[in-house]
Amino acid sequence: MSNLDLDALSLGELKQLEKDVAKAIGNFEERQKAAAFEKVDALAKDLGYSLPDLAELSVSRKRPASTPKYRHPENAEITWSGRGRKPAWLAEAIAGGKSLEDFAI
């Protein structure tokens, strides 16, 4: 690595150097990713698979949407499944004296 006297550079030169370094880092990372991809792809082929076949295994499986159990009294499109945090409208109603069963579907 060369010894570069940064103190001798102007602000413009330093900013250009910063851009050049960022670009060089990006290019380096892309080359590293490409090399890693080639290695993994070759290993997958050796095992009789394609990389997309293996990649689909790592995709998270989403659970189906939960069935709504509670409905907003004024807007029937707003529901809650009973999972996770209580929606604000339901928490406010319960704090106001209503019971959870009042909103059951």
Side-chain angles (χ1 to χ4, degrees), residues 48-93:
Y49 298 100
S50 71
L51 196 52
D53 289 341
L54 297 177
E56 73 183 30
L57 293 175
S58 68
V59 175
S60 65
R61 305 253 185 326
K62 292 189 176 186
R63 288 193 268 174
S66 300
T67 305
K69 294 180 182 173
Y70 307 97
R71 185 177 316 276
H72 190 282
E74 296 163 8
N75 185 347
E77 292 182 14
I78 301 175
T79 59
W80 181 53
S81 67
R83 295 163 98 183
R85 290 179 53 185
K86 282 186 187 124
W89 60 267
L90 186 56
E92 290 170 8

Side-chain angles (χ1 to χ4, degrees), residues 5 7 14 16-17 21 32 36 40 55-56 61 64-65 70 80 87 92-93 98-99 104:
D5 185 10
D7 293 328
L14 287 170
Q16 185 60 48
L17 181 61
V21 168
Q32 293 296 99
V40 173
E56 73 183 30
R61 305 253 185 326
Y70 307 97
W80 181 53
E92 290 170 8
K98 298 250 183 183
S99 70

